[in-house]
Amino acid sequence: MAEEAVAAPNPSPIQVIVENFNRLTPKQKMAGAVVLAMAIALVVGVWLWSQQPQYSVLFSNIDEKDGGAIVTALQQGNIPYKVESGGGTILVPANRANELRLTLASQGLPKGGMVGFELLDASKLGLSQFHEQINYQRALEGELARTILSISSVAGARVHLAIPKQTAFLRNEQKPTASVVVNLRPGRKLDQAQIAGIVHLVSSSVPELAANQVSLIDQNGNLLARQRSQDGPALDDTQLEYIRNVEDSYIQRIQTILEPVVGIGNFRAQVAADIDFDATEQTSETYKPNPPPNTAIRSQQLSDNQTNQPGPQGVPGALSNQPPVPATAPVTTPAVPGTTQSATTTATPLNSARNSTTNYELDKTIQHVKRSLGQVKRLSVALVVNNRAEKDAKGQLKPVPLTDAELKKINDLVREAVGYDEKRGDTLNVTNTAFTEGVKEEVPPLPFLKDPDNLAMLKEIARWLAVIAAVAFLIFGVIKPLLRAVAPSKTAEEAAKAEEEAAELASATMEERLERMEEEEMSPELLELELAKMSYEKKLARAREVAAKDPRMVAQLIKEWIGGSGGPEGR
């Protein structure tokens, strides 16, 4: 029988698990199934949550009409989305945001809540002139806003035009004005060239609208371009920026030339530039008072008059002013009184006059001068230099003032660097003093939990930690206890080996068992327990020998136990 039991095949682990599971009560089976299902559901939920896509902004600050059209297009494409900020912001998966913007742009979305000249396509009959003018103004505003939106830094734009009604009276004529509001993208700003471009775009699109009558503001209410008054001078931001750039360029020159000489941080320089922004045009024509005699002749006129007739004679009156009597032939008319006539000689002229007019080339100079804007009228430079550090006898650094020769060298270097001009009125002041070591005000770093990069990293870490915690709970809190309950404590091979060792130990003598336990280095407690067990076996073997030799005595002893005090324990 023993040999047949040993030779029987050992059950497989699966059979043992099934047998152990069948031994469980129905309540234990139900509780295990519920716990296992909850753990699996927890792991699946955490995994699905960890695999949720990151959402990014598709469009923001959109009106309800555009938002509804965009949501409809996303629903038709089975694209997940979220709506926030009261419907003004639409979020989509971050990996598809750029693709969806291009797709929706091909469909003309978003339209920006504005209308263009397509408004005029739906004109109805019977509209008054006022409605036609309003529709045209709305269409023009929408087209201008769409054009401004093409600038990369602008996310939204609104244009308001104030176009007065035309009148036949020039005295009451009013010029149109315009106002533009731009919504800039985060971290972007418009430079002066872009601002001027928007202003000139609007002014060129409206008849008789001057560029100085266009106001431009951003979403924060900052005035970027304003209407300039024609009555008086206006402050130009570009001029202030130009002054700052000129001053910074002079400071940079000073730093470049002094850093190798005195060291970085051992000097401070400031420059105040007086810039002339007056636009001047001058035309002059000058003449020299007395030209030299060798000047080229421009024109010359000579006039010479000679006459033989005497001058007027007689008493003034009517009779003396009568014309002479015509001559008659033969010539017998007596000579006129006061004249003589000779047949052989020519009469000498009685009156002679000569006039000469000479025009010389004028020596003149015509000069046309146009002065450009932004010329430097005057420079004021202030420079503070720190003391020089020298080692004393103990090897410690000690501040020492600069000598006059060193200050003069620095002065000359700065003069050449800034282009010092004494005739222009430039001033330069170089001072040597010891710098005080003030406490620098450091900007406190951003808290760790408020840093966007750290928040994103912590969210990602928390997501994976949640997945790991759920998996660990499923393995160590659910599956492993269940396996302990239904799985065999030992494998079939280990059980067979334990039985063989027990049989060998039982068949061995007491001396062999003690030697074996000493070789296996048993603990004192186990060894004492085994020795106690061995003394009991000795007693049992002695009792068996006595029973075999004298059965009557053993029977009598058992009767006494049964009929007496109830067993050996009662004794």
Side-chain angles (χ1 to χ4, degrees):
M1 298 291 292
E3 293 178 357
E4 292 179 358
V6 173
N10 296 325
S12 63
I14 297 177
Q15 293 177 353
V16 175
I17 292 175
V18 173
E19 292 177 359
N20 293 336
F21 182 76
N22 293 332
R23 290 178 189 152
L24 298 176
T25 62
K27 290 184 179 181
Q28 291 176 342
K29 294 179 181 179
M30 183 65 68
V34 170
V35 172
L36 183 61
M38 292 176 61
I40 294 175
L42 176 63
V43 172
V44 172
V46 172
W47 176 256
L48 294 177
W49 171 75
S50 65
Q51 296 300 318
Q52 259 190 344
Q54 293 287 341
Y55 282 85
S56 64
V57 177
L58 179 64
F59 295 110
S60 60
N61 297 328
I62 57 176
D63 59 357
E64 297 178 355
K65 186 176 181 180
D66 285 341
I70 293 172
V71 168
T72 302
L74 295 177
Q75 291 175 350
Q76 293 176 355
N78 294 326
I79 300 169
Y81 65 91
K82 293 181 180 180
V83 180
E84 295 182 354
S85 302
T89 303
I90 299 178
L91 306 177
V92 294
N95 57 349
R96 301 194 60 186
N98 296 330
E99 176 188 354
L100 292 175
R101 288 194 190 98
L102 296 176
T103 304
L104 295 174
S106 64
Q107 302 177 9
L109 295 175
K111 297 181 179 179
M114 60 189 69
V115 293
F117 283 116
E118 66 271 9
L119 180 63
L120 303 180
D121 297 337
S123 298
K124 299 179 181 179
L125 295 176
L127 286 178
S128 62
Q129 185 178 3
F130 175 76
H131 285 89
E132 290 180 352
Q133 181 64 25
I134 292 298
N135 289 340
Y136 171 75
Q137 184 171 336
R138 288 180 56 197
L140 184 58
E141 291 175 351
E143 292 294 336
L144 289 174
R146 290 177 180 176
T147 306
I148 296 173
L149 283 175
S150 62
I151 301 176
S152 60
S153 301
V154 179
R158 292 290 301 273
V159 179
H160 303 279
L161 300 177
I163 303 177
K165 186 178 180 180
Q166 296 183 356
T167 176
F169 300 97
L170 298 178
R171 182 178 299 174
N172 298 330
E173 184 180 9
Q174 296 180 358
K175 298 296 182 181
T177 58
S179 300
V180 182
V181 181
V182 293
N183 185 11
L184 303 179
R185 300 185 185 278
R188 301 286 190 88
K189 69 176 184 177
L190 297 176
D191 55 20
Q192 294 299 326
Q194 292 174 325
I195 293 174
I198 295 175
V199 170
H200 284 81
L201 169 68
V202 177
S203 65
S204 302
S205 302
V206 180
E208 298 183 1
L209 176 59
N212 56 11
Q213 296 298 319
V214 178
S215 298
L216 177 64
I217 63 174
D218 60 6
Q219 73 273 16
N220 298 322
N222 299 323
L223 186 59
L224 306 179
R226 69 182 71 190
Q227 297 180 359
R228 298 183 183 177
S229 175
Q230 300 293 338
D231 299 334
L235 182 61
D236 193 352
D237 296 336
T238 58
Q239 295 179 0
L240 298 177
E241 184 178 1
Y242 177 77
I243 294 175
R244 287 194 296 267
N245 293 336
V246 170
E247 293 175 350
D248 292 341
S249 66
Y250 282 114
I251 295 175
Q252 185 63 34
R253 292 182 186 180
I254 298 173
Q255 291 179 352
T256 303
I257 200 169
L258 287 185
E259 282 180 355
V261 178
V262 299
I264 300 176
N266 288 326
F267 66 93
R268 295 291 185 272
Q270 289 294 328
V271 177
D274 187 5
I275 308 297
D276 185 8
F277 291 104
D278 296 336
T280 304
E281 292 186 7
Q282 180 180 1
T283 303
S284 60
E285 185 175 353
T286 59
Y287 298 90
K288 292 185 178 179
N290 296 318
N294 57 353
T295 305
I297 297 175
R298 182 177 185 181
S299 64
Q300 187 175 17
Q301 183 179 1
L302 299 176
S303 176
D304 191 2
N305 286 329
Q306 294 181 357
T307 179
N308 294 327
Q309 298 295 330
Q313 298 178 359
V315 179
L319 294 179
S320 62
N321 290 331
Q322 294 295 327
V325 179
T328 59
V331 182
T332 58
T333 305
V336 179
T339 62
T340 59
Q341 186 175 3
S342 173
T344 59
T345 61
T346 303
T348 60
L350 298 178
N351 293 322
S352 153
R354 175 175 292 183
N355 295 325
S356 177
T357 302
T358 302
N359 295 323
Y360 295 94
E361 288 290 345
L362 298 178
D363 189 2
K364 67 176 180 179
T365 302
I366 300 176
Q367 185 179 11
H368 182 76
V369 179
K370 183 178 181 180
R371 297 180 180 176
S372 61
L373 300 178
Q375 292 184 351
V376 179
K377 296 171 58 178
R378 184 173 176 271
L379 285 179
S380 298
V381 182
L383 180 65
V384 181
V385 184
N386 192 13
N387 290 338
R388 182 178 67 254
E390 290 185 356
K391 292 184 178 180
D392 54 8
K394 297 181 180 180
Q396 297 180 355
L397 294 178
K398 181 180 179 181
V400 177
L402 300 179
T403 61
D404 295 340
E406 291 175 339
L407 289 176
K408 184 178 183 304
K409 181 176 66 174
I410 294 174
N411 196 329
D412 295 340
L413 290 175
V414 175
R415 283 173 179 266
E416 297 297 330
V418 300
Y420 181 85
D421 188 359
E422 187 176 0
K423 296 180 180 179
R424 192 172 56 186
D426 297 348
T427 58
L428 173 62
N429 188 2
V430 179
T431 303
N432 173 224
T433 184
F435 286 4
T436 58
E437 297 180 358
V439 179
K440 296 183 179 179
E441 183 178 357
E442 297 182 356
V443 179
L446 193 66
F448 183 81
L449 295 179
K450 292 185 179 181
D451 192 349
D453 296 336
N454 296 334
L455 287 178
M457 180 183 65
L458 291 177
K459 288 181 180 178
E460 191 69 19
I461 294 174
R463 177 179 301 177
W464 287 106
L465 288 178
V467 174
I468 295 173
V471 173
F473 172 75
L474 178 63
I475 294 175
F476 298 101
V478 179
I479 297 177
K480 193 172 181 179
L482 290 177
L483 291 177
R484 288 177 179 175
V486 299
S489 58
K490 295 182 180 179
T491 61
E493 296 180 356
E494 292 177 352
K497 187 176 180 181
E499 291 178 358
E500 292 177 359
E501 292 178 354
E504 292 178 357
L505 189 61
S507 60
T509 61
M510 289 183 292
E511 292 77 5
E512 292 176 352
R513 293 169 66 182
L514 288 173
E515 292 178 359
R516 187 171 181 179
M517 286 187 292
E518 290 178 358
E519 290 177 357
E520 293 178 357
E521 297 181 356
M522 275 189 168
S523 60
E525 293 81 3
L526 294 177
L527 183 60
E528 184 178 355
L529 182 63
E530 191 65 25
L531 290 174
K533 183 178 179 182
M534 290 175 63
S535 62
Y536 171 76
E537 290 179 355
K538 286 182 180 180
K539 294 177 181 180
L540 183 60
R542 181 62 180 168
R544 286 177 180 175
E545 292 178 357
V546 173
K549 292 179 180 180
D550 194 357
R552 293 181 179 180
M553 185 183 62
V554 175
Q556 186 63 29
L557 181 61
I558 293 174
K559 288 181 181 180
E560 291 179 0
W561 285 352
I562 295 174
S565 58
E569 294 178 0
R571 301 175 73 95

